[in-house]
Amino acid sequence: MASSTTAVLPKFGIGVFGGLNIPVVQQDQGNGTLFGVRGRLKVLPFAVFEPNATFGKFGDPDDIEGIDLGNGSDFNSFGLDVTLGGLPGVVAFKPFLVVGIGSYTTKNDMTKVDNSDVGYSVGLGVGLGFSPKFDIDVRGKAIIIPIDEGGSKKTINATVGLTYNIGAL
Amino acid sequence: MHVKYIKNKIGVLGLILAGLIAAGCLVSGTFVVVEDFNFTTEEGFYRYPVDITDNADWKEHKDKIDQIDAVGAEFNITNNQGGPVTFKVWVDDFGANHASVGAVEANATQILELTVPAGKSKVTYVQSLNAIMNIGELKRLAKFGQFDYYGTSTGNNPTAFVVDSGKVIVTFSASGL
C-alpha cells in the first residue's frame, strides 16, 4: 500500500548544492566554485524534473609564458535537468543519470565578454536517501555550450547536494 | 533487474556522449597565444607586423577558429623624457605598412591610449584589456592571425622613449582537432 502511494503521488523537493566548476580545454579559465538551488519534482515513476539556478565562477587561469591572464569569468545559469533514477522519498542508495538544458551566462568585466547561450548537460550521480525527507547526492555533469560562431565551451560541474523532500510523506 | 536498469542508463549516456563527440563538441577549446615583439624605434613612431600563424596552437587549429575571445598586450617601456608621455597603439591590415604617424592616424584603428610616466614602467595584459578600445576591429584583424601594429608617442626623441619589449596576447576558441 505504501509503495502504491509512492508511485502515484508527485514528490516535491527543494535543495541546495555546491561544488567545483572545472573548465575543459579553456586556457583562459581556471578551476572555480559554484553553488545553486534546485527544485525536484517527480513527474514519472522513473524521472525527476529539476529546475535549477547556479551561481559560479571560474578560477584565475595559470600564467602563460609569464603573462598574468587576470581573473576567471563569472559563470551563472538557470535551466532544467531531468534525472533518470534518484527518486525522492526512497531510503536507498540511488544511482542516476542526469541530462539537462539551460541558459548559461559567461561574464568577464576584464575581457568585456558577456555571453548568454543555451547549453546542454549530461552526467551521472548517486543519491543517498537517509530518510524519506532528506536526500544527499553527489553528481558530475559535463556541460556543453555551443557558441554562435561555431564550436563550444565546456565545463564539468562536480557537486554535492542536499534535498528536502516536502511531498515525500 | 536493477543492474539491467543501470546498464541501460549507462548505455544511453554512452550514446549521448558518442553523439557529442561526433559533433566535434568535445574536442574544441580555448587557447592563448603569446607573440613577443620589439617595435622599430623611430621618432615617436613604432611599427611591428604581428604574425602568430607560426604558433603551434594557432597552426593546429587555424582552419577551425571560431572566435577571438580576447586580445591584449604587454609593454615594458623606458621613458626618459622627463615627464609623462601619451602612447597610442593602432592596428591595421597585415601589410598595410604605414610609414608615418599621419598615415596611421588616417587609415589605422586606434586601440589603446596610455599615459606613460617618466622612468621605467610596465603595462600589463590586464591593464591593456581595461584600456582597449575598438575591440571589434581588433578581434576581426586578430582572426587572420596577422595584422600590423603601430605605436605613436608624444615627444620625438627615439632614445628617450623606448618600448623595450612587448607581447601580444590572443585568446581564441577553435573546434575540432
Side-chain angles (χ1 to χ4, degrees), chain B residues 26-137:
Chain B
L26 291 182
V27 289
S28 60
T30 303
F31 307 91
V32 180
V33 172
V34 178
E35 164 90 350
D36 294 309
F37 70 88
N38 288 292
F39 271 136
T40 56
T41 304
E42 299 171 28
E43 290 188 357
F45 180 63
Y46 318 89
R47 184 175 60 199
Y48 183 80
V50 174
D51 185 352
I52 59 174
T53 57
D54 285 339
N55 177 276
D57 280 334
W58 187 275
K59 284 171 80 171
E60 186 176 354
H61 302 286
K62 64 180 181 179
D63 295 327
K64 295 183 178 179
I65 293 172
D66 300 313
Q67 70 175 14
I68 302 297
D69 295 83
V71 186
E74 189 168 286
F75 302 104
N76 287 297
I77 297 173
T78 300
N79 174 14
N80 290 329
Q81 299 212 123
V85 166
T86 300
F87 177 58
K88 298 178 181 178
V89 178
W90 310 70
V91 292
D92 204 348
D93 292 325
F94 189 72
N97 290 329
H98 301 306
S100 67
V101 174
V104 168
E105 290 178 345
N107 298 290
T109 301
Q110 186 181 347
I111 59 164
L112 279 176
E113 180 171 334
L114 304 166
T115 300
V116 182
K120 285 189 176 291
S121 60
K122 180 174 185 175
V123 179
T124 68
Y125 169 68
V126 172
Q127 287 171 331
S128 80
L129 288 180
N130 288 329
I132 229 155
M133 59 185 91
N134 295 317
I135 186 66
E137 175 65 2

Side-chain angles (χ1 to χ4, degrees), chain A residues 14-26:
Chain A
I14 55 173
V16 295
F17 57 93
L20 297 176
N21 187 26
I22 304 166
V24 178
V25 197
Q26 295 189 60

